[in-house]
Amino acid sequence: MTFSRIFVLLLLGTRTVFAQWQPAPWPVLKHYDTHHLYNLALPLGGIGTGTVSLGGRGELRDWEIMNKPAKGFSTVTVGNNAPFFAINVLPVGGKPLTKALIGPLDPAEYLHYEGRPVNQHGFPRFSEASFDAAYPFGQVHLSDAKMPVKVTVKGFNPFIPGNADSSGIPIAVLAYEVTNTGKEPLTVSVCGSMRNFVGKDGSQSHKDWKGDVVPTGAKKNTNVYKTGAGFQGIYLFSDSVSRQDPAWGTIALTTNSPAGVSYRTSSRSNDWENAMLDFWDDFSADGQLTEKAKLVDDDPLASLAVQKTIAPGQTQTYTFFITWNFPNRQAWSSFSSKAGQDAIGNYYSTQYADAWEVMTKTLPRLPVLEQKTLQFVQAFLSSSYPDVIKEAALFNLATLRSQTVFRIPSGHMMGWEGVFDEFGSCFGSCTHVWNYEQATAFLFADLSQSMRDIEFNYATNPEGKMSFRVMLPLSKAQDWKNVAADGQMGTILKFYRDWQLSGNPEFLRKNWEQVKRVMSYAWIQGGWDGNQDGVMEGRQHNTMDVDYFGPNPQMGFWYLGALKATSEMATAMKDPALAQKCADLYRKGSAWMDQNLFNGEYYEHKITDPKTFAFLNWEGNPDVQVPDYQLGKGCLVDQLVGQMMAHMLGLGYLAKPEHIQKSLQSIMKYNYLDNFSDHFNNMRSYVLGDESGLLMASWPKGRLKVPFPYFAESMTGFEYTAAVGMLYEGQTDNALKCLKSIRDRFDGRKRNPFNEPECGHHYARSMTSWNTVLAWSGFLYSGVTETMTFTAKPGTYFWSNGSAWGTCTIRSEGTGNRVSLAVLDGKIRLREFALQGGGKQVFKQRQEVTEGKPLAFTVK
């Protein structure tokens, strides 16, 4: 392991100590060449803090730090005034060379009605660019035949499983590694510039917190140069923007370089774009900035430069930090400044007073934060997972740090389904969407448990009805009156999962009465299983945004899994009557579905009359009125989502294994298209042209006239669900084919590798990709019984239970398997270790495995 270097320098005449953090060598999982950068944007920001993205060519884009999505927002209208970094090179005895630290324009970016097609369109750029990624690390490589330097732009934000606070810092860390490729010494300056855009949140027409449009020139923002504990830079704030406005806050552009620093807190007035001309002339002359006498603009330009001498063949690192704090998050507002919304605030703003304090608290910890993030990524990349699984699982973790996710001041995690360009998509931590992903629980146990707290203790009424969208503030949680069958049953499985992973008996005891109510709601008269036969017949609202009428596999398997999980929890709570009831319903329901819904190839939907629940003979009698938006005899891509969850939780098969396996083969047979060029889709297209993927549904036995709305679409979260099921059933080739189809579509050119959309960017269901890690490794952990299970396949596997993480290496050795279990962070307790089909080890005494104390043993 290579750690960051820290150099301490005492400046003459001061007591300022500069800790010169420099990034260590970073790992690379995926390389993107110059032809695959157009849509690439790696979010730099913490969980619940908002982000700014590092573009594939080194540009800073999508400034989503003001409590709302802002795709394409660069603080001003498109032009040369957006934030950027530039480099000035002074050869000995030669002319200075100045370029923006950005790669070349794409041919698609040339046309614009006013000659302003993209940000920095008029700046000299580097002619060659490429991007290396291993999220959360991004590296842009820039070179140019006319420049005697090559530059690597390195950007990251700490990401440490099990530590949500350290993974939730509002900071973008940027390091510019400049290498002198010539034969003479060079004087090189790197400079970051941004306008003070406090009060501008990215809306096309920003409104203040009262709902009034903010006129141009109505505010006077301020930039000041400051020196902190080991850093210096420019602090951007506003005393004229209302302190209640969601777009009010603070920003800091800083460096930890102890020498060679110059700055400007403003420029001249920007009539005819002269502010940028004035800056460019100043910086280009000698790489040093001259402070202006006063601020002259409403949003003055702040510039911070660092100058160093670089010997031939040597590399110098220029490190900058962008920090922010915008405390005034509103509730589920479509626009951050919409009038009448309740102010709820941000958790991260309770940790930091302002953007300057973010730097003050973070810089001393940065070497450790980087080292732990590197340790996580390197442990994951060194594991025996196929590269496509590593890419899908790791890169979609960016969703946790997008505007899809935020934390309210209590620390509870909340989530949109996704985000549109300027506002959130589908509010309320929607249960039937968030059911699919496992990344949150297996990487951040406390955040996952906070979502269970909201679902069971705020969103559930005394009858057990759970609002599948939660209103804010939490005092209004149940104001959304609708309930979802798949959403509610899935929360029971998620609660069981969080209890098992934590092993905390108090977590179950505290919430048990609510869990029982939520389960029992399925049995109310006229409800989903009102006759209590283990089969959902009633009206079932679900993630297809429609109501299914009659038994179907999607809801049926969620229900069977919830029954099985509740039975186990009831046993633990010494409630034998409920445990037996759930077990009996499970057995009846499972047998009924195998007998009545499995058609020999897959599980189908028996449509019923909404009033009588009688099966509709719509094939035998064409006059039968079938409700719109049903599945019927369709082959649904996620028909086995409940089975996927059951496997991940160690609950076993919910139906006959041979039927489960055949159904997955049928999904591949009927739903997979090698080429979408001839596919008709009347809705949204997430797969196009010669791309491949899994359809939401197919109808080999004849399609309904009006099927559920999304049937012709293809969406990654659902594709991952099917692929994970295939992995669990040993259908590895088909699973990897599906996964490759997905990730080939997110190639940097056509789509952003760190943003898989569904109904919005960074869609929560895309994190179902983490489930592939669980399926490939066979990882199971129960803190309740203190047992751990892995596949018997030799290899090294990264694992995490949400509070501890590490690696497990399995090697064949004679008649047994040699196991080396390492905890890299946190601790776990073990009484038993098992390999799937490969024996187990029962320890005479409970083992506590901690960081630096691996456990080695042989399993026979």
Side-chain angles (χ1 to χ4, degrees), residues 559-576:
Y559 182 37
L560 293 179
L563 287 168
K564 210 168 186 181
T566 303
S567 180
E568 290 205 15
M569 288 187 285
T571 298
M573 290 302 297
K574 296 180 171 43
D575 188 343

Side-chain angles (χ1 to χ4, degrees), residues 193-445:
S193 295
M194 67 166 63
R195 285 194 171 275
N196 185 330
F197 57 99
V198 173
K200 295 182 178 180
D201 68 358
S203 302
Q204 292 180 354
S205 178
H206 176 64
K207 298 179 181 180
D208 67 15
W209 68 286
K210 296 179 181 178
D212 299 325
V213 175
V214 178
T216 301
K219 60 182 178 64
K220 292 289 184 182
N221 290 350
T222 304
N223 302 336
V224 296
Y225 168 78
K226 296 175 64 176
T227 298
F231 65 98
Q232 56 186 306
I234 304 176
Y235 181 59
L236 293 71
F237 64 99
S238 177
D239 287 331
S240 56
V241 175
S242 168
R243 285 177 174 262
Q244 284 73 50
D245 196 306
W248 175 83
T250 56
I251 309 170
L253 171 63
T254 58
T255 180
N256 62 346
S257 293
V261 177
S262 59
Y263 63 90
R264 291 161 51 121
T265 56
S266 185
S267 185
R268 62 153 288 167
S269 61
N270 201 32
D271 49 299
W272 295 100
E273 306 295 335
N274 269 292
M276 191 55 63
L277 175 63
D278 184 73
F279 158 79
W280 195 266
D281 286 347
D282 185 8
F283 183 59
S284 296
D286 58 6
Q288 297 183 22
L289 302 175
T290 304
E291 171 67 317
K292 308 298 285 187
K294 62 179 181 179
L295 301 178
V296 296
D297 291 333
D298 288 348
D299 51 355
L301 181 68
S303 300
L304 183 68
V306 176
Q307 188 173 74
K308 300 182 181 184
T309 299
I310 308 178
Q314 298 299 304
T315 299
Q316 290 278 9
T317 300
Y318 302 71
T319 307
F320 295 86
F321 310 94
I322 300 170
T323 54
W324 59 89
N325 191 345
F326 288 85
N328 300 322
R329 179 173 293 275
Q330 294 182 327
W332 301 108
S333 172
S334 292
F335 294 91
S336 69
S337 56
K338 186 175 180 180
Q341 292 290 324
D342 291 303
I344 56 170
N346 281 311
Y347 172 76
Y348 83 85
S349 295
T350 69
Q351 310 299 300
Y352 309 101
D354 52 35
W356 199 259
E357 189 174 67
V358 176
M359 266 308 296
T360 301
K361 290 184 174 181
T362 303
L363 184 58
R365 302 174 56 221
L366 193 56
V368 173
L369 293 172
E370 183 209 21
Q371 183 269 325
K372 293 302 290 185
T373 304
L374 275 170
Q375 191 178 32
F376 158 58
V377 175
Q378 289 169 337
F380 186 73
L381 296 189
S382 66
S383 295
S384 303
Y385 301 108
D387 282 353
V388 70
I389 285 181
K390 294 176 183 176
E391 179 188 337
L394 195 63
F395 286 17
N396 275 306
L397 295 181
T399 301
L400 278 175
R401 322 238 275 179
S402 70
Q403 280 287 354
T404 296
V405 170
F406 59 95
R407 297 179 70 184
I408 58 179
S410 62
H412 289 90
M413 183 173 126
M414 311 298 299
W416 298 88
E417 292 185 23
V419 291
F420 295 140
D421 283 357
E422 292 193 3
F423 49 92
S425 167
C426 302
F427 67 92
S429 302
C430 177
T431 56
H432 60 56
V433 168
W434 281 87
N435 275 353
Y436 285 69
E437 67 89 19
Q438 306 298 311
T440 304
F442 280 86
L443 293 174
F444 299 100

Side-chain angles (χ1 to χ4, degrees), residues 551-553 592-599 602-604 606:
N552 63 87
W592 194 94
M593 287 181 63
D594 272 329
Q595 184 175 351
N596 294 278
L597 297 190
F598 187 73
N599 63 16
Y602 56 87
Y603 291 88
E604 61 182 39
K606 298 289 187 183

Side-chain angles (χ1 to χ4, degrees), residues 653-727:
Y653 281 99
L654 303 179
K656 290 182 178 180
E658 60 270 26
H659 291 178
I660 299 296
Q661 292 156 10
K662 182 64 175 180
S663 295
L664 288 163
Q665 292 168 353
S666 297
I667 290 171
M668 195 68 185
K669 176 181 178 180
Y670 294 122
N671 294 40
Y672 186 84
L673 296 183
D674 284 307
N675 190 304
F676 272 64
S677 297
D678 296 326
H679 173 64
F680 172 78
N681 178 6
N682 59 306
M683 286 285 287
R684 305 164 301 184
S685 291
Y686 297 108
V687 186
L688 290 164
D690 62 358
E691 296 176 327
S692 59
L694 286 169
L695 291 172
M696 291 291 289
S698 61
W699 274 268
K701 302 178 185 300
R703 201 201 77 200
L704 291 169
K705 178 67 175 177
V706 184
F708 71 91
Y710 309 131
F711 75 95
E713 297 182 357
S714 179
M715 294 179 275
T716 67
F718 295 101
E719 292 177 279
Y720 285 129
T721 300
V724 170
M726 295 173 193
L727 288 176

Side-chain angles (χ1 to χ4, degrees), residues 403-708:
Q403 280 287 354
T404 296
V405 170
F406 59 95
R407 297 179 70 184
I408 58 179
S410 62
H412 289 90
M413 183 173 126
M414 311 298 299
W416 298 88
E417 292 185 23
V419 291
F420 295 140
D421 283 357
E422 292 193 3
F423 49 92
S425 167
C426 302
F427 67 92
S429 302
C430 177
T431 56
H432 60 56
V433 168
W434 281 87
N435 275 353
Y436 285 69
E437 67 89 19
Q438 306 298 311
T440 304
F442 280 86
L443 293 174
F444 299 100
D446 55 343
L447 297 184
S448 186
Q449 290 176 27
S450 79
M451 299 186 83
R452 303 296 81 74
D453 183 44
I454 287 177
E455 290 161 356
F456 286 88
N457 297 308
Y458 292 92
T460 299
N461 71 9
E463 191 181 23
K465 176 183 177 181
M466 180 186 291
S467 300
F468 75 86
R469 298 190 189 277
V470 176
M471 301 297 284
L472 288 172
L474 290 179
S475 59
K476 300 181 178 180
Q478 295 177 35
D479 284 7
W480 179 264
K481 302 301 182 182
N482 297 330
V483 62
D486 54 351
Q488 185 146 332
M489 294 300 101
T491 61
I492 294 172
L493 281 163
K494 289 188 296 185
F495 186 92
Y496 174 81
R497 173 200 63 201
D498 290 359
W499 169 57
Q500 286 287 324
L501 288 176
S502 71
N504 182 3
E506 184 58 27
F507 180 66
L508 179 58
R509 281 197 295 267
K510 176 184 175 182
N511 295 283
W512 177 236
E513 291 302 317
Q514 288 297 85
V515 172
K516 287 196 298 183
R517 290 188 182 97
V518 169
M519 184 73 255
S520 299
Y521 184 78
W523 306 324
I524 64 172
Q525 187 174 2
W528 300 318
D529 186 17
N531 63 356
Q532 300 185 38
D533 63 354
V535 180
M536 281 193 170
E537 300 95 357
R539 177 177 183 170
Q540 302 151 64
H541 188 73
N542 64 84
T543 195
M544 302 306 173
D545 296 323
V546 295
D547 299 332
Y548 284 169
F549 297 97
N552 63 87
Q554 187 183 38
M555 258 58 67
F557 281 114
W558 277 124
Y559 182 37
L560 293 179
L563 287 168
K564 210 168 186 181
T566 303
S567 180
E568 290 205 15
M569 288 187 285
T571 298
M573 290 302 297
K574 296 180 171 43
D575 188 343
L578 181 60
Q580 188 62 51
K581 178 176 182 177
C582 290
D584 290 343
L585 289 177
Y586 160 74
R587 283 191 291 269
K588 292 177 183 177
S590 177
W592 194 94
M593 287 181 63
D594 272 329
Q595 184 175 351
N596 294 278
L597 297 190
F598 187 73
N599 63 16
E601 291 189 287
Y602 56 87
Y603 291 88
E604 61 182 39
H605 171 202
K606 298 289 187 183
I607 304 174
T608 64
D609 180 351
K611 295 181 180 179
T612 65
F613 295 160
F615 292 148
L616 296 176
N617 185 21
W618 55 277
E619 285 186 308
N621 183 355
D623 295 327
V624 168
Q625 295 297 310
V626 177
D628 287 344
Y629 312 127
Q630 303 298 292
L631 171 63
K633 293 186 178 297
C635 181
L636 186 65
V637 67
D638 66 329
Q639 61 186 272
L640 300 176
V641 57
Q643 179 62 75
M644 175 192 73
M645 189 77 165
H647 278 324
M648 289 185 299
L649 304 186
L651 291 172
Y653 281 99
L654 303 179
K656 290 182 178 180
E658 60 270 26
H659 291 178
I660 299 296
Q661 292 156 10
K662 182 64 175 180
S663 295
L664 288 163
Q665 292 168 353
S666 297
I667 290 171
M668 195 68 185
K669 176 181 178 180
Y670 294 122
N671 294 40
Y672 186 84
L673 296 183
D674 284 307
N675 190 304
F676 272 64
S677 297
D678 296 326
H679 173 64
F680 172 78
N681 178 6
N682 59 306
M683 286 285 287
R684 305 164 301 184
S685 291
Y686 297 108
V687 186
L688 290 164
D690 62 358
E691 296 176 327
S692 59
L694 286 169
L695 291 172
M696 291 291 289
S698 61
W699 274 268
K701 302 178 185 300
R703 201 201 77 200
L704 291 169
K705 178 67 175 177
V706 184
F708 71 91

Side-chain angles (χ1 to χ4, degrees), residues 714-757:
S714 179
M715 294 179 275
T716 67
F718 295 101
E719 292 177 279
Y720 285 129
T721 300
V724 170
M726 295 173 193
L727 288 176
Y728 274 117
E729 302 305 329
Q731 299 171 20
T732 306
D733 289 345
N734 282 345
L736 293 178
K737 185 175 183 179
C738 291
L739 296 176
K740 187 176 186 302
S741 292
I742 296 171
R743 292 308 300 178
D744 282 351
R745 305 197 298 257
F746 293 86
D747 64 354
R749 169 64 182 168
K750 294 182 290 186
R751 299 177 184 85
N752 183 6
F754 308 100
N755 175 9
E756 292 186 8

